[in-house]
Amino acid sequence: MSASPEGGTHRLRVRYAETDRMGVAHHGSYVDWMEEARTEWLRQGGKTYRQWEDEGVLLQVVEVHLRYMKTTTYDDEVEIRTSVAARGRASITLEYEMRLVGDDELVAVGRTKLACVDGAGRLQRLPAL
């Protein structure tokens, strides 16, 4: 794996489709944003997630944790900072900080644990970063 061990950043803008009638981002959108930031973290390391999959390295989400501090609304720009929290023989845990662009206010923190599996779903060794 060649993703940056220091972490990465990814920016996105809250889309209208991700909000409720009051323009507040739906809580489930944050899980999608973490996934997008994770795949961009891999891309920033020089290889896309698609390339990892083509090589038989699949990262299966086995845990998701989220804590919300402040709502985000339609058209807010959010920066997601991804970092490696822990690394096991066949798993990796990533942490995410979601901050509003401009004032750097923390809106949410999250964590995902991913198991490295092959095409048949069997655990396999996580490639070196």
Side-chain angles (χ1 to χ4, degrees), residues 1-61:
M1 206 173 266
S2 61
S4 170
E6 301 87 39
T9 60
H10 177 63
R11 285 187 178 185
L12 54 82
R13 193 168 294 279
V14 178
R15 297 175 300 172
Y16 186 78
E18 296 169 321
T19 64
D20 60 20
R21 288 181 66 160
M22 297 177 293
V24 174
H26 185 270
H27 65 275
S29 297
Y30 292 75
V31 175
D32 291 339
W33 298 347
M34 290 190 312
E35 180 178 19
E36 185 174 329
R38 181 171 61 251
T39 59
E40 290 305 316
W41 169 71
L42 288 169
R43 185 185 315 279
Q44 290 168 10
K47 195 182 279 191
T48 67
Y49 188 63
R50 171 175 242 147
Q51 289 170 308
W52 285 118
E53 287 180 328
D54 290 346
E55 294 173 8
V57 177
L58 306 171
L59 298 175
Q60 183 178 49
V61 176

Side-chain angles (χ1 to χ4, degrees), residues 5-127:
E6 301 87 39
T9 60
H10 177 63
R11 285 187 178 185
L12 54 82
R13 193 168 294 279
V14 178
R15 297 175 300 172
Y16 186 78
E18 296 169 321
T19 64
D20 60 20
R21 288 181 66 160
M22 297 177 293
V24 174
H26 185 270
H27 65 275
S29 297
Y30 292 75
V31 175
D32 291 339
W33 298 347
M34 290 190 312
E35 180 178 19
E36 185 174 329
R38 181 171 61 251
T39 59
E40 290 305 316
W41 169 71
L42 288 169
R43 185 185 315 279
Q44 290 168 10
K47 195 182 279 191
T48 67
Y49 188 63
R50 171 175 242 147
Q51 289 170 308
W52 285 118
E53 287 180 328
D54 290 346
E55 294 173 8
V57 177
L58 306 171
L59 298 175
Q60 183 178 49
V61 176
V62 294
E63 290 180 23
V64 175
H65 300 272
L66 268 167
R67 185 169 151 232
Y68 306 95
M69 279 78 158
K70 179 181 175 15
T71 59
T72 56
T73 58
Y74 170 65
D75 210 37
D76 281 347
E77 191 173 9
V78 178
E79 180 176 87
I80 304 166
R81 300 170 188 169
T82 305
S83 61
V84 177
R87 184 184 163 83
R89 187 180 146 308
S91 68
I92 189 165
T93 301
L94 299 175
E95 291 183 337
Y96 310 85
E97 281 189 1
M98 291 163 249
R99 295 181 174 273
L100 285 176
V101 172
D103 64 9
D104 203 39
E105 189 170 359
L106 187 64
V107 296
V109 292
R111 184 175 65 248
T112 55
K113 182 174 183 178
L114 303 124
C116 186
V117 298
D118 64 16
R122 293 181 301 257
L123 284 175
Q124 66 176 337
R125 181 175 289 283
L126 184 67

